[in-house]
Amino acid sequence: IQLLYRTQMSRAEHLATLGELAAGLAHEIRNPLAGIAGVIDIIGRDLPETSPGRQVLQEVQDEVLHIKNILSDLLEYARPKLPEFHEADLNATAERAVALARQQVTSRPIEIALIKDSNLQSVEHDPAQIQQVLLNLLLNGIQALDGKGQVRVELRSEIGFAQVKVKDTGRGIAPEALPNLFRPFFTTKGQGTGLGLSLARRIVESHGGRIEVSSTPGQGTAFVVWIPLRKASASARSSV
């Protein structure tokens, strides 16, 4: 028990230090970044429509936006918000995440399927945070697809738990990468911050649940999220 307490305290101190560092970095970087973005806008307005420099400026603007997104992800990871629990329809939460994901693939041959559980009772959760988790898993699935494919979201109820499976028919993940998948800053995509899955696991665990992953290279990847129907059910995790 003492070892567990010391480990938890060490982790809390580490996160607090990371939060302070992230806030300081964000402040120091965002101010000059805003200046750079402003200068780029001014230069862009002065360039002729046919100037090849416009393409270069667009690339710079994209990179500025990328940096802003990295800062936002870092702050969100380092200073997570506490969940605001209340009983809500988990089917509806998943449906909102699916609707947002579908907007990303309107011009691509990708199907995003949603299979609800009509018998799933209301689940005590933070709809905004769980929607964020599911949207992150959906976007990961979309990015794993080369051309045509499907991402399937399926909800079902278990004893004391709600289960949400997000499965894609994409390229899959190498076995050696799976143990590191939820580590901060680890990514297999060559882009992004590598914080999305780490933050997703933290949110799910703050709900008293867990997230699991399985994958077969060339066949796809499946993430399974377990959420207690009620917060008091979190103690039953070990029996699932």
Side-chain angles (χ1 to χ4, degrees):
I1 296 176
Q2 290 182 347
L3 177 60
L4 177 61
Y5 175 77
R6 287 198 299 269
T7 301
Q8 291 176 333
M9 288 299 296
S10 175
R11 184 183 181 190
E13 292 173 359
H14 170 73
L15 290 175
T17 302
L18 181 59
E20 294 175 3
L21 177 62
L25 281 173
H27 177 74
E28 294 298 327
I29 296 174
R30 276 178 169 168
N31 287 342
L33 197 62
I36 293 171
V39 170
I40 293 171
D41 287 339
I42 293 172
I43 294 174
R45 287 197 297 267
D46 291 340
L47 282 177
E49 290 291 337
T50 57
S51 173
R54 281 188 171 273
Q55 177 62 36
V56 176
L57 285 180
Q58 182 60 54
E59 292 174 359
V60 175
Q61 287 175 325
D62 291 343
E63 291 304 316
V64 168
L65 180 60
H66 185 207
I67 295 172
K68 288 181 178 178
N69 290 336
I70 289 174
L71 291 174
S72 296
D73 286 351
L74 182 59
L75 279 172
E76 192 169 8
Y77 177 78
R79 291 185 170 179
K81 296 179 181 178
L82 293 175
E84 296 180 4
F85 292 103
H86 62 273
E87 291 187 18
D89 186 352
L90 189 62
N91 286 301
T93 299
E95 190 169 27
R96 287 191 292 271
V98 166
L100 291 171
R102 283 173 175 162
Q103 294 177 12
Q104 306 297 315
V105 297
T106 53
S107 60
R108 298 175 60 186
I110 294 175
E111 177 192 7
I112 300 180
L114 174 62
I115 295 86
K116 300 179 183 180
D117 183 348
S118 59
N119 297 318
L120 184 63
Q121 58 184 292
S122 62
V123 178
E124 193 171 2
H125 68 291
D126 183 324
Q129 288 196 359
I130 295 302
Q131 177 183 314
Q132 177 185 352
V133 169
L134 298 182
L135 181 58
N136 181 275
L137 298 180
L138 280 161
L139 295 179
N140 280 350
I142 290 169
Q143 292 170 1
L145 297 173
D146 297 317
K148 186 178 180 180
Q150 183 192 68
V151 184
R152 178 187 177 100
V153 180
E154 183 172 2
L155 294 93
R156 58 182 295 185
S157 55
E158 297 287 344
I159 300 177
F161 281 79
Q163 182 195 95
V164 187
K165 178 183 288 187
V166 181
K167 188 178 189 307
D168 66 68
T169 58
R171 67 183 73 94
I173 301 170
E176 61 269 19
L178 287 176
N180 299 315
L181 208 56
F182 295 100
R183 290 180 56 188
F185 305 107
F186 179 83
T187 178
T188 61
K189 297 178 290 188
Q191 58 182 347
T193 61
L195 290 173
L197 287 177
S198 181
L199 180 59
R201 183 173 69 173
R202 180 184 293 181
I203 290 173
V204 172
E205 289 179 347
S206 73
H207 280 67
R210 70 177 187 269
I211 182 169
E212 302 168 347
V213 60
S214 60
S215 185
T216 302
Q219 297 184 26
T221 300
F223 288 91
V224 181
V225 176
W226 299 82
I227 303 173
L229 298 178
R230 300 291 178 270
K231 290 172 61 179
S233 299
S235 59
R237 275 178 295 170
S238 59
S239 65
V240 176

